[in-house]
Amino acid sequence: MHARLSIFIIAFVVSLLSACDPDFQDTSQLCANVPTTAVRVGVSDFSVNAGGEYPLYLEDIILGLEPDAGESLTEEEKQARNRALSFVREKFNSYLDYTSTNGTVSAANNPIDFLEELIATSDDTRVIGAFQEAKDQMARAIASDDDFCNYTNRNIVVEDTSTGDLLFVDFNLSYN
């Protein structure tokens, strides 16, 4: 019994001493010291296909709006539901330029979906350093699990090469 207690006390003291090490940094300190790289991305359009590593921004909402196969509605209720679904899809499509095939979203052409897909990608030919820095930082924070972690990069610019328009991106990730 004394041996177990002694081992526990030694382990506890060693962990306290390691925290007193001047080089020791907890997760929040490590996260605060990660530089944010300036990023400039040039694109000719913002096309993204559905069904990849990243689901489109509102794809799950659109899928959630689909009626259940076994639902029993009156004809009037079905017509009202269909009008509402058409209205929602029309609005999504007008703002996010979603393309549907047989009632299912198959692609999008908008900056939100484009950037989120680019952030989520693991395709080595498309990985952008700042997004990888952020993912690595969050992975370290999750592995350490000893404090919060915030990553912010306001140095990201996306240029539409066909129009010359600039999109300034404020990229934030948090882990708590």
Side-chain angles (χ1 to χ4, degrees), residues 111-131:
I112 294 172
D113 283 308
F114 175 81
L115 284 171
E116 289 195 11
E117 193 275 333
L118 194 59
I119 291 165
T121 191
S122 58
D123 179 350
D124 289 338
T125 63
R126 300 185 63 232
V127 169
I128 298 212
F131 299 147

Side-chain angles (χ1 to χ4, degrees), residues 54-72:
Y54 159 74
L56 299 178
Y57 189 63
L58 296 175
E59 185 176 359
D60 59 339
I61 293 174
I62 292 173
L63 293 174
L65 292 173
E66 292 298 322
D68 290 333
E71 81 180 329
S72 58

Side-chain angles (χ1 to χ4, degrees), residues 117-148:
E117 193 275 333
L118 194 59
I119 291 165
T121 191
S122 58
D123 179 350
D124 289 338
T125 63
R126 300 185 63 232
V127 169
I128 298 212
F131 299 147
Q132 192 59 47
E133 285 173 4
K135 290 192 281 188
D136 291 346
Q137 180 175 323
M138 288 299 123
R140 284 190 303 273
I142 291 167
S144 295
D145 195 28
D146 65 355
D147 209 340
F148 69 92

